[in-house]
Amino acid sequence: MKEIQMVDLKGQYKKIQTLINNSIEEVINSTAFINGPEVKSFQNNLEKYLDAKHVIPCGNGTDALQISIMSLNLKPGDEIITPDFTFIATAEVIAFLGLKPVFVDVEPGSFNISPGSIKKSLSTKTKAIVPVHLFGQCANMDEIHNIAKENNLFVIEDTAQALGAEYFFSNGLKSKAGTIGDIGTTSFFPSKNLGAYGDGGAIITNNDDLAKKIRYIGNHGMETKYYHDSIGVNSRLDSIQAAILNVKLKYLDEYNQSRQKAAAFYDKAFQNLENITIPYRDKFSTHIFHQYTLLTDPELRDPLKKYLAQNDIPSMIYYPVPLHRQKAFGSYGYDNRKFPVTESLSQRVISLPMHTELEIEQLEYIVNHVIKFFSNYK
Ligand SMILES: *Cc1c(COP(=O)(O)O)cnc(C)c1O
């Protein structure tokens, strides 16, 4: 049996090696390393794939969030509501820009931002909501959209973990994750569902004015060369990464289906186990399993992780510390009691290996060990 990894980037590469190598060589031969034709063509291909009006490629998913928030013209002290249970990047850029991240609790099933908690955290300073489509499944965008509309708020979807997921609106229409709010952001970090071979990110919007602003903020605040209308940043998608992503975008749906197949295998094996809860699926979204995350009892979680490691099965805890308890956000003085779901999840979650190359033999080995571990606790 092949060694089990959390993510198998090499196995995935081997299957498209010639295409990837040729695409990289083309960029090197052209020497158009910055903003070469590959960047423009990737932008167009992703616009088509997402059915979005504008895709603006940039340096990484964190920059995508930062540039998006910069385009909203907010004032110091303005508040942005975001989930307590996510990767730090979502909230870090808010604080970095002198705005206040207002953390709210998440749903116990999907782990996504709770619309009820958003409503309780609104203030006169609230200007935007940044939902995260965590682990590959969309947040409740119908409800988030309603709250935003009633309170005149921007919505920026952090789609770093859900590129390719589909959202089904209550009116029967459907959209790709990242195209629903005013702005969507994504990351092409190598382990993401659409991963580059280095850093990369993109901003998505259907709003012409925002697209124009986002483009020049990402390019030194410059619309006309050497005339700088506002303070911007330098954040570009590398031509070589764009060439790689152009190859890989064609496989994204296939990759997401492979993840769903592995998830279905896990689900079937675990659905009747007493000590674990399999990932919850909301009706309004597909789940493309950036992570396959189980819940177990807090006192069994770390022993399970240890037992798996002893048997050469990697696992990860996403995320062990809620954002409101991170030292970096200590100055805001958040009250633990406001986040009972996140507090509980951080002690109960465990993510199993999830990638596009998992073989039946490996999946069987993993589920057999999980089952064996729990059979000792009956
Ligand atoms: C990965 C990730 C990011 C940041 O992406 P980078 O490309 O690493 O900057 C932001 N938000 C979430 C939810 C992520 O998973």
Side-chain angles (χ1 to χ4, degrees), residues 83-86 104-106 319 321-324 339-347:
D84 192 33
F85 191 61
T86 176
V104 301
D105 212 356
V106 297
Y319 297 94
V321 184
L323 290 189
H324 78 272
F339 311 96
V341 179
T342 305
E343 285 290 347
S344 153
L345 293 178
S346 65
Q347 292 168 40

Side-chain angles (χ1 to χ4, degrees), residues 60-62 65 86-87 89-90 132 158 160-161 187 189 192 200 319:
N60 57 64
T62 309
L65 285 159
T86 176
F87 180 56
T90 317
V132 179
D158 183 343
Q161 301 189 3
S187 162
F189 186 84
K192 299 282 153 95
Y319 297 94

Side-chain angles (χ1 to χ4, degrees), residues 214-228:
I214 287 163
R215 251 186 212 107
Y216 71 65
I217 291 170
N219 186 27
H220 300 292
M222 164 169 94
E223 220 186 325
T224 311
K225 203 158 192 175
Y226 304 126
Y227 290 80
H228 305 271

Side-chain angles (χ1 to χ4, degrees), residues 65-270:
L65 285 159
Q66 183 183 322
I67 295 165
S68 299
I69 294 169
M70 286 171 80
S71 77
L72 305 181
N73 286 338
L74 304 184
K75 291 183 304 297
D78 281 347
E79 296 178 359
I80 299 186
I81 293 178
T82 197
D84 192 33
F85 191 61
T86 176
F87 180 56
I88 184 132
T90 317
E92 187 177 37
V93 295
I94 299 171
F96 179 76
L97 293 171
L99 308 165
K100 183 179 178 196
V102 174
F103 301 124
V104 301
D105 212 356
V106 297
E107 295 289 337
S110 66
F111 316 150
N112 276 322
I113 193 165
S114 150
S117 305
I118 296 176
K119 282 185 200 158
K120 280 188 221 148
S121 298
L122 293 167
S123 85
T124 51
K125 288 187 176 167
T126 310
K127 294 288 154 43
I129 308 170
V130 183
V132 179
H133 304 314
L134 201 72
F135 300 154
Q137 183 171 230
C138 295
N140 188 335
M141 296 307 292
D142 277 285
E143 290 213 32
I144 291 167
H145 177 76
N146 287 341
I147 298 169
K149 213 171 142 194
E150 273 168 30
N151 298 279
N152 205 15
L153 310 175
F154 291 103
V155 175
I156 299 176
E157 304 168 68
D158 183 343
T159 316
Q161 301 189 3
L163 198 69
E166 274 185 320
Y167 185 85
F168 304 97
F169 293 93
S170 51
N171 65 8
L173 296 175
K174 66 173 181 179
S175 289
K176 285 258 163 52
T179 66
I180 304 163
D182 298 284
I183 304 175
T185 65
T186 199
S187 162
F188 306 119
F189 186 84
S191 63
K192 299 282 153 95
N193 291 42
L194 178 60
Y197 291 176
D199 276 309
I203 301 159
I204 306 147
T205 184
N206 291 319
N207 180 315
D208 295 340
D209 293 334
L210 284 175
K212 198 169 148 191
K213 255 197 224 161
I214 287 163
R215 251 186 212 107
Y216 71 65
I217 291 170
N219 186 27
H220 300 292
M222 164 169 94
E223 220 186 325
T224 311
K225 203 158 192 175
Y226 304 126
Y227 290 80
H228 305 271
D229 299 337
S230 67
I231 296 295
V233 297
N234 170 24
S235 184
R236 295 183 284 242
L237 179 67
D238 195 274
S239 298
I240 289 181
Q241 299 306 335
I244 292 164
L245 289 166
N246 254 333
V247 173
K248 291 188 70 181
L249 178 59
K250 298 192 190 92
Y251 296 89
L252 178 58
D253 285 342
E254 203 179 294
Y255 288 159
N256 286 340
Q257 282 156 17
S258 305
R259 289 171 178 274
Q260 287 168 331
K261 258 191 218 156
F265 190 100
Y266 282 143
D267 276 358
K268 194 160 172 242
F270 299 146

